[in-house]
Every structure is written in C-alpha cells, then in structure tokens.
Amino acid sequence: MYQQVLDPVAGSLAWSALVAAVPLLLLFVLLGVFKVTAWLASLVSLAVSLAVAVAVYGMPVGQALLAGTEGAAFGFFPILWIVINAIWVYQMTVATGHFDVLRRSFASVSDDQRIQAIIIAFSFGALLEALAGFGTPVAVTSVMLMALGFTPLKAAALSLTANTAPVAFGAMATPIITLGKVTGLSPDTLGAMIGRQTPLLAVFVPLVLVLIVDGRRGIREAWPVAAVCGVVFAIAQYVTSNFVSVPLADVVASLLSAAAIVGMVRLRPPARALVPSLASGGVGEADLDPPDSPDSRADSRADIAKAYAPYGIVIAVFVVCQIGAVKTLLDAATVVFGWPGLHVAAANGHPLSLTAFTLNLLTTPGTQMLVAGVLTMIVLRLSVPRALRAFGATLHQLRWAIVTVMAVLALAFVMNVSGQTITLGTWMAGAGAAFALLSPILGWLGTAVTGSDTSANSLFGALQVTAAHQAGLSELLMAASNSSGGVLGKMISPQNLAIAAAAVGLNGREGDIFRRVVVWSLVFLAAMCAISALQASAVLSWMVP
C-alpha cells in the first residue's frame, strides 16, 4: 500500500509543487518550443513523471507503473472509444459521398469563410460536443473546414479555439454530473452556476474565430454575424441551464445560434465575402496548399436528408439512452473494479478512489456512437466490407493520436495517483481569499493534462470545495469555476492537439497547432479568472445562486 505525500521535498509544499510541475512544464516546452511530436513528447514526459513519483514521492516502481497502465486503459476506454466511433461515422459519410453533400449544404448558407468558420466550428461543433464530446467536435469540424477550402493549420486552430464554451455541458453534461458526485453539490445548481460563467465567454468566441480567419478586417466586416451568434448562444445556454435542463444546454444553444447565423446572413450579409482563394495565404501557411474549393453541384432533397441523417441518428440514439428506464437497463452492464495490483491511500489514509476503474460498456457515449454508426451504415446503404474498410481507415488515421492519448492519460494518472497533481492544487489552495482568482487555473491545468473537463472535475472538484471552505468563499462558485476554467485548457491539451493533427493530416506538427491556440487559451483563462474573482466579491456576488 502506497500512501500519498503532499510535501516530499524538504517538507515544503512550495518546493514540492515546483518539482511536481516538472513533467507538465517539460511536456509543453517540448511541444511549443522544441516542436517535438506529441506522441514522443508525451512518452518523455510520462517517463519523467514516473521518475518523480519513484525518486521524489517514494512510490514503489510497481505501483507507479500500474497507475500508468490504468491511465492508458482509461485513455482508450472511454475516451478513444468515443473518438474512434465518431470518426468512423464521418468516414462512412465520406465513403458514400454524403460528406460532400453536407459540406455543400453548409457552404450554401454563405460562401464567406468567416461565416463558415462560425457555423461549423462553433455552432455545429457545439452540437457535437453536446452529444459526444471527448475530441469528436475537433476531429469532425476541422475536416469539414478543410473541405471548404481552409488550410489544415487554420482548420485545426479554428476547431480547437471554438471547442471552449460548450465543453462544460458536453456529452450531455457529463463533466457537471461528475463534479456533483465528487463535491456532493447538486448538478442542477452547479449547472446553473456554470451557466452564469461560460456564456460570458461564448459571446466573444465567434469574434475570435473571425479574427483568426481574416484579422481585423474580418472583425470590421463580419462582426454583426459573429456578435449575434455569440449573444444568442450565450443567452440560450444560460436560460436552458438555469431554467430548463442542464444536459440540454448545448443542444439548444447550438441549434439556436446556427439559426441566428442563417437569419443574419439573409438579413445582413457582410458587404464582401471572403472566399477560399483569398483566405489560403495566411502568414506561416504558404507551405500548406488548401484543397480544391467546394463545387456548386446541386443536390436533391433526398441526398441532403441522407447527409444530415447520421447526425440525426446520433441525436436520436443519445436522447433514447438518456431516458431513465433505458439508462437503468444499460447500466446493468457497467462493472466497477479496483485496478489489479494497485493499492494506494490518500494523504489522509483513506483509500484512493482513482484506483477504481469503471467499465461502462453500454452507457459510455462511445458504444452509443457505435450503435449510431451501425444505423448510419444501414441508412446510407453501406455494405459491411465497405464499413469495415472505413473503420480500418479510421484506426490508421488516428494511429499516432491513439499513442498520444494513451501516453498523456498514463502521465495524468501517474501524477494523480502519486500525489504530484494534488501537491500543485493544495499549494494553490493556500492563497486564501485570492483563491477565487486562481480557482479556474486548477481546472485549466487539469484539463490541459487529461484533455477532459470531466477528469479535471474529478481530480480537483473536492479540493476546490475544501479550499473554498477554508478561505470563506462560496463552495458552489469555486467548484463551478473549476469546470469553467477547465474548458479553456482543452484546446492546448496534447490529447486534443493529437486528434486535431490526425484529422487534418498534420501528424508531427502538434507544436505548430499549439502555438496557434495557446495565446487564446491564456487570454480566455485570464478573463475567466477575473469573472470568478468578481463573482466572489461584492461586485458580482448577486450572480451566485
């Protein structure tokens, strides 16, 4: 039995936190400075985290390795299981030609790339996040943007940047439900509080997408559409999460924002459209030739209906699986067991819950996405051999992303189980009243490491509540700030960088993508820290339920 130690370096929490941060700092330096491929950077950082766990924290070698294997297994199931099946659905639409139909349908809304970036990366991406999450929106929307003439690097950057505000309510509010379990707070109340934070960011995300596509000129010419989309999404997310249903917040917000974009384009389109030939020569992209511009072929209503059918099927499957009786029936196949051979106690002597592995075979979104894929195969009249070839193409496309995700989750579990992550969190929690300003950073850190707001909430949710109690702050606010801050770490997570790179064919160039999005991650994080601090003060305390 290994018992966690929070201050193994000279009995100092500060020095211990500095050492505990080494694997994370190394990971991002390798990615952003030395341009090392994500899978190699992840493996090197994993090796360093194992060394810190054994040499500094005194964790037995066998226990440290077992923690890594549990993390790798969790990386494959449920996270990669979701992404693989979601990309398989996409590959089948490509094989049958219906992806091109869907692409032309989106392009028919507007041939302006700034508008296309908003409706696909933000609104459609939010719908995918609501249904599946875990990297699916980044993988699908980046490919759609490439098909519309965006360069691979820009398509990846847009998809990652857009995948922020919807994340806390993603996968039918799985991060919030998890946060409720680990904190003992009501998921509905937590969802309401988060619904008073992330919408404030959602207002600005479409404007940032326009800035990425066309710079200041794009803001001058396309700001009305971007502003209306952001405001409609924000209002819908707030109203739905506070007064209707937390799991449906992103579904409603994404659909209403898409409708708002269509309405604005018809009522007040930008005076000048930005078409692919004008957008493909951005700085640093000269070596990345965009695909051919989308053609103007006319599609029948039946073809358009089939093109949208896979996503309608996904929505239907997920909604049915959320029905109480169905969910209970599917949950009968869930197995929870302690990871074999891994025996760890927290610093207080209690058994560590992280060693319990949940194998939710039927309730995981990945299996539900697999069912949707089988139904899609039938609706699109795809033969079994062609469907299997599409699945094989998916595995080949994601091969390096699979290595990266499993290595990153192994790194996360080694840090979590050994106590490295809790050392960092506990050190930050010692800031007293100033913790309200730092609270979102914990969530950001957790998501940046694990690639999942759900994992970040599981990791730091209880710590946020404890720190809030000690500092005399609102426990609800600090717990919510963990999740709201976490959504901003998703775009720089090596897991999602690897998925984006694999989707657009830039394997090995994750560092280039990282440098494109890290500034926006930090800008949004600073804004969320300010929101959290103001809500903890008399200025915005009225926003806390």
Side-chain angles (χ1 to χ4, degrees):
M1 174 73 73
Y2 166 71
Q3 184 168 347
Q4 290 181 338
V5 182
L6 300 184
D7 53 356
V9 181
S12 168
L13 193 60
W15 283 109
S16 300
L18 183 63
V19 174
V22 169
L24 293 183
L25 293 175
L26 177 63
L27 177 61
F28 290 119
V29 168
L30 289 175
L31 280 174
V33 179
F34 294 102
K35 302 181 181 180
V36 177
T37 57
W39 68 268
L40 182 57
S42 301
L43 289 175
V44 171
S45 299
L46 170 60
V48 172
S49 71
L50 286 167
V52 171
V54 174
V56 179
Y57 280 76
M59 191 176 191
V61 175
Q63 296 290 291
L65 292 174
L66 284 171
T69 59
E70 184 187 7
F74 182 78
F76 188 84
F77 189 95
I79 295 176
L80 283 167
W81 184 235
I82 298 169
V83 176
I84 289 170
N85 287 306
I87 301 301
W88 177 49
V89 173
Y90 153 73
Q91 288 284 6
M92 287 192 290
T93 65
V94 172
T96 57
H98 288 92
F99 178 78
D100 289 330
V101 178
L102 184 67
R103 180 198 69 191
R104 288 191 289 269
S105 177
F106 275 110
S108 68
V109 175
S110 173
D111 60 354
D112 191 324
Q113 285 204 317
R114 298 165 300 195
I115 308 302
Q116 293 170 349
I118 299 172
I119 195 169
I120 293 175
F122 185 69
S123 296
F124 186 58
L127 179 61
L128 294 176
E129 180 67 37
L131 299 174
F134 297 99
T136 303
V138 171
V140 175
T141 61
S142 58
V143 175
M144 293 185 70
L145 290 173
M146 275 186 61
L148 288 170
F150 289 81
T151 57
L153 195 57
K154 185 168 286 187
L158 288 167
S159 298
L160 286 164
T161 304
N163 193 219
T164 47
V167 169
F169 298 93
M172 304 308 288
T174 297
I176 296 174
I177 293 171
T178 301
L179 185 61
K181 287 181 180 179
V182 300
T183 61
L185 300 173
S186 165
D188 290 334
T189 308
L190 284 168
M193 184 66 244
I194 294 170
R196 303 178 190 198
Q197 292 179 322
T198 55
L200 299 176
L201 295 177
V203 172
F204 299 98
V205 173
L207 290 168
V208 170
L209 298 182
V210 170
L211 187 63
I212 292 174
V213 174
D214 195 29
R216 295 179 180 178
R217 180 181 60 182
I219 296 293
R220 289 195 304 269
E221 297 176 353
W223 73 264
V225 178
V228 168
C229 173
V231 169
V232 169
F233 186 95
I235 293 175
Q237 193 181 59
Y238 161 71
V239 171
T240 307
S241 62
N242 277 264
F243 307 110
V244 182
S245 167
V246 171
L248 293 178
D250 277 351
V251 175
V252 174
S254 62
L255 294 176
L256 289 181
S257 65
I261 296 171
V262 174
M264 278 296 295
V265 169
R266 291 180 178 177
L267 293 174
R268 189 182 173 183
R272 181 190 64 87
L274 184 71
V275 296
S277 59
L278 297 177
S280 61
V283 177
E285 297 177 354
D287 59 326
L288 299 173
D289 296 327
D292 295 334
S293 299
D295 56 67
S296 56
R297 187 186 313 164
D299 297 301
S300 67
R301 291 184 177 180
D303 285 336
I304 294 175
K306 281 188 176 181
Y308 281 93
Y311 302 99
I313 291 171
V314 171
I315 294 174
V317 170
F318 276 75
V319 168
V320 169
C321 290
Q322 289 298 314
I323 297 174
V326 177
K327 194 171 184 178
T328 301
L329 182 63
L330 296 178
D331 201 43
T334 297
V335 179
V336 180
F337 58 92
W339 194 252
L342 186 58
H343 306 292
V344 181
N348 58 11
H350 296 155
L352 196 67
S353 61
L354 286 173
T355 60
F357 192 88
T358 301
L359 193 65
N360 50 336
L361 294 172
L362 299 182
T363 56
T364 180
T367 300
Q368 294 166 14
M369 188 67 73
L370 176 64
V371 173
V374 173
L375 294 176
T376 296
M377 181 181 71
I378 296 171
V379 170
L380 299 185
R381 298 182 180 179
L382 199 68
S383 66
V384 174
R386 290 185 68 192
L388 291 176
R389 283 197 296 271
F391 198 88
T394 299
L395 293 176
H396 183 266
Q397 177 185 354
L398 295 176
R399 63 192 184 282
W400 295 116
I402 291 172
V403 175
T404 302
V405 172
M406 294 180 71
V408 167
L409 266 297
L411 161 68
F413 267 67
V414 170
M415 292 188 65
N416 296 347
V417 175
S418 67
Q420 296 172 56
T421 310
I422 300 300
T423 294
L424 287 168
T426 305
W427 175 66
M428 292 178 62
F435 183 65
L437 183 67
L438 302 176
S439 175
I441 299 177
L442 272 181
W444 175 85
L445 178 67
T447 305
V449 176
T450 65
S452 165
D453 196 39
T454 300
S455 298
N457 287 344
S458 177
L459 184 61
F460 287 131
L463 179 64
Q464 293 272 11
V465 170
T466 301
H469 180 73
Q470 293 174 350
L473 299 168
S474 167
E475 297 178 358
L476 173 66
L477 174 59
M478 294 302 96
S481 294
N482 190 84
S483 191
S484 297
V487 307
L488 307 173
K490 198 170 180 73
M491 70 174 84
I492 63 167
S493 164
Q495 169 186 314
N496 287 287
L497 291 172
I499 291 172
V504 300
L506 291 179
N507 286 307
R509 297 190 60 180
E510 294 85 358
D512 293 335
I513 302 173
F514 173 79
R515 286 189 293 277
R516 284 296 185 95
V517 299
V518 66
V519 172
W520 292 116
S521 177
L522 295 174
V523 167
F524 281 134
L525 176 62
M528 182 54 65
C529 288
I531 291 170
S532 175
L534 289 172
Q535 289 178 332
S537 70
V539 178
L540 295 180
S541 59
W542 52 270
M543 296 182 68
V544 181

